[in-house]
Amino acid sequence: MEHMNIDNILNNIYPLPDQSKNLLKEKIYEITCPKAHILFKVNRIASKVYFLKKGIVRAYANPEEEEITFWFGKEGDAVLSMKSYVENQKGYETIESLEPCELYEIQTEDLKQLYNTDIHIANWGRKFAEQELIKVEERFIFRQCKTALERYKELINNDPDLLQRVQLVHIASYLGITPVSLSRIRSELK
Amino acid sequence: MEHMNIDNILNNIYPLPDQSKNLLKEKIYEITCPKAHILFKVNRIASKVYFLKKGIVRAYANPEEEEITFWFGKEGDAVLSMKSYVENQKGYETIESLEPCELYEIQTEDLKQLYNTDIHIANWGRKFAEQELIKVEERFIFRQCKTALERYKELINNDPDLLQRVQLVHIASYLGITPVSLSRIRSELK
DNA sequence: GCCATTTCTTATCATTTGATAAGTTTTCCC
DNA sequence: GGGAAAACTTATCAAATGATAAGAAATGGC
């Protein structure tokens, strides 16, 4: 997939007037990280939000017992610990890069200050949360309506490159099944 | 449970300065509805958001095939079709009262206009979406980590009155199991 | 209060998914 | 490029959940 530049990423969430966008961009820096880098560690309070320019990451919960990969981030996605971002509390997830990544970084402190002073950025932040909300809610419902096979098929259709870029262990967990079960499904489809 | 007044409901989401709160309250009206009233119908574009003063409601998806109750709203909760509210598109859920209800009602149009003109209300709207987001995300992860038995136990602990107020068919669906399976779990616990 | 209807439970059997383990393929590193 | 490690598949068996149906309990209307 192509690189995503910051203007497109910000605009895709909610178009901002130039002045507000520049306020935001003043606080944003580019960083890179290697594969298998931990961007957020569980039980920490996150101080940064990232936007993914290039690469792929996953968020997983419950690392003591059984790892649950509940989210993949790709080019253009925001990468953050939601719980930590929203409530300023310990996050329940760890976020790890699955490829070498290029990221845009902003301090949550800076972001929150902008929310309080610029109404366009406040509404941008509102839209961001709203869009993420819809995504989780839809996935929550979909998960319950559909069988593992249907969920796998849907992934193939909507996110084919994920299968090329991500280990099947993580795909399986994302689909809510075991790797063995995923293997079974894949062999049935051949 | 006690009645919830509108000031508490609004403040619990995000404390607003009096002036902003009054702007909001000017647009809010009280209504009532009987039991089994449909507040939102699937595939419609919703024009209203409610806050529940008294009563209990449920949201369910997939009404053609198998009903999936994915949310209960109680005193103090906001009642709305998220998809419709966020994207101005057809909602995937139907929302139905399970008791006679007293509600505060606001037009989404009015709300959106306030978002664009009052920064405090914009941030209130942001906080609202953020809090709802965390709730769904936590439930999504919890659903995958825990067995049906654990999920039922957690419901008993965190939401005991739900069992008194709501039919077990809906509880079962909310927990992601069949009513028969829930019965089995309940009898094992005795 | 009584009957009809709805809701809930119990029982039986089928299906799906998980757990474990062994085998195969791929990847990675020297 | 060869060998070790990791990732994936396949096979077998166990456990959890679903489907169906029949019976018990609760609810609601007259």
Side-chain angles (χ1 to χ4, degrees):
Chain A
M1 194 187 260
E2 282 305 303
H3 289 57
M4 281 286 288
N5 75 53
I6 190 64
D7 280 86
N8 285 336
I9 293 174
L10 298 178
N11 271 328
N12 279 350
I13 292 169
Y14 187 67
L16 284 168
D18 282 347
Q19 201 191 343
S20 302
K21 196 198 285 181
N22 288 334
L23 284 174
L24 203 47
K25 282 169 73 177
E26 272 172 26
K27 302 291 185 181
I28 294 177
Y29 300 92
E30 276 195 58
I31 63 158
T32 62
C33 74
K35 185 175 172 172
H37 179 76
I38 302 297
L39 286 160
F40 287 116
K41 210 171 166 65
V42 66
N43 287 330
R44 301 271 173 83
I45 297 178
S47 61
K48 299 179 180 80
V49 171
Y50 303 96
F51 300 95
L52 204 39
K53 181 180 183 183
K54 176 67 190 165
I56 195 160
V57 302
R58 73 174 178 122
Y60 59 98
N62 216 22
E64 319 84 40
E65 305 170 35
E66 200 204 346
E67 258 181 30
I68 310 280
T69 296
F70 63 91
W71 178 77
F72 291 113
K74 300 201 298 185
E75 284 82 4
D77 284 333
V79 177
L80 70 164
S81 162
M82 279 294 171
K83 175 84 170 182
S84 198
Y85 164 77
V86 169
E87 298 186 354
N88 238 292
Q89 290 183 13
K90 292 177 179 179
Y92 37 69
E93 71 266 70
T94 297
I95 304 184
E96 171 196 47
S97 62
L98 301 175
E99 292 174 357
C101 288
E102 298 167 35
L103 301 135
Y104 301 101
E105 174 186 305
I106 185 169
Q107 302 290 126
T108 36
E109 270 318 304
D110 289 337
L111 198 50
K112 281 170 189 177
Q113 194 166 349
L114 289 169
Y115 287 156
N116 289 326
T117 51
D118 185 303
I119 189 170
H120 301 106
I121 298 180
N123 277 302
W124 176 90
R126 178 175 62 81
K127 269 292 153 196
F128 168 62
E130 287 175 0
Q131 285 166 17
E132 296 297 322
L133 170 55
I134 293 300
K135 286 186 211 165
V136 198
E137 191 176 87
E138 285 187 314
R139 263 191 79 207
F140 184 85
I141 295 169
F142 188 80
R143 167 71 55 94
Q144 191 163 336
C145 294
K146 307 293 178 180
T147 65
L149 174 64
E150 289 170 316
R151 292 187 323 252
Y152 178 68
K153 278 184 184 166
E154 201 253 4
L155 187 77
I156 293 176
N157 289 330
N158 295 6
D159 238 338
D161 66 316
L162 216 59
L163 286 162
Q164 306 307 318
R165 298 170 77 183
V166 174
Q167 289 185 13
L168 291 177
V169 214
H170 300 143
I171 302 270
S173 176
Y174 181 75
L175 291 173
I177 54 180
T178 59
V180 178
S181 202
L182 178 56
S183 245
R184 207 156 24 198
I185 286 170
R186 283 161 59 83
S187 71
E188 277 163 23
L189 281 183
K190 280 187 298 200
Chain B
M1 193 188 260
E2 283 303 304
H3 289 55
M4 283 285 288
N5 75 52
I6 190 64
D7 280 86
N8 285 336
I9 292 174
L10 298 179
N11 272 326
N12 280 349
I13 292 170
Y14 187 67
L16 283 169
D18 282 349
Q19 199 190 344
S20 302
K21 196 197 287 182
N22 288 336
L23 283 174
L24 247 184
K25 283 168 72 177
E26 272 173 26
K27 303 291 186 182
I28 294 176
Y29 300 91
E30 277 195 58
I31 64 157
T32 62
C33 73
K35 186 176 171 170
H37 179 77
I38 302 297
L39 286 160
F40 287 115
K41 211 171 166 66
V42 66
N43 287 331
R44 300 271 174 83
I45 295 177
S47 61
K48 299 180 179 82
V49 171
Y50 304 96
F51 300 96
L52 203 41
K53 180 181 185 183
K54 176 69 192 165
I56 195 160
V57 302
R58 73 172 178 122
Y60 59 98
N62 215 22
E64 317 83 42
E65 305 171 34
E66 198 204 348
E67 257 183 31
I68 310 280
T69 297
F70 63 92
W71 177 78
F72 291 114
K74 299 201 300 187
E75 285 81 4
D77 285 331
V79 178
L80 69 164
S81 162
M82 279 295 170
K83 175 84 170 183
S84 197
Y85 164 75
V86 169
E87 298 187 353
N88 238 294
Q89 290 182 13
K90 291 177 179 180
Y92 38 67
E93 73 266 69
T94 297
I95 303 184
E96 170 197 50
S97 63
L98 301 175
E99 292 174 357
C101 288
E102 299 167 34
L103 302 134
Y104 301 101
E105 174 185 304
I106 185 170
Q107 303 289 127
T108 36
E109 271 318 304
D110 289 337
L111 198 50
K112 281 170 188 178
Q113 193 165 350
L114 289 169
Y115 288 155
N116 289 326
T117 50
D118 184 303
I119 189 170
H120 302 105
I121 297 179
N123 276 303
W124 176 91
R126 178 175 61 82
K127 270 291 153 198
F128 168 62
E130 288 176 358
Q131 286 166 18
E132 296 296 321
L133 170 55
I134 292 300
K135 286 186 210 165
V136 196
E137 191 176 86
E138 285 187 314
R139 262 190 80 208
F140 184 84
I141 296 170
F142 188 81
R143 167 71 55 94
Q144 191 163 337
C145 294
K146 307 291 179 182
T147 64
L149 175 63
E150 290 170 314
R151 286 176 343 240
Y152 178 66
K153 280 184 182 167
E154 201 253 5
L155 187 78
I156 293 176
N157 289 329
N158 296 5
D159 239 338
D161 67 316
L162 215 60
L163 286 162
Q164 307 307 317
R165 300 171 76 182
V166 173
Q167 288 184 14
L168 290 178
V169 215
H170 301 144
I171 303 268
S173 175
Y174 181 74
L175 291 173
I177 53 180
T178 58
V180 178
S181 202
L182 177 57
S183 246
R184 205 155 28 196
I185 286 170
R186 284 161 58 84
S187 71
E188 277 161 24
L189 282 182
K190 279 187 298 199

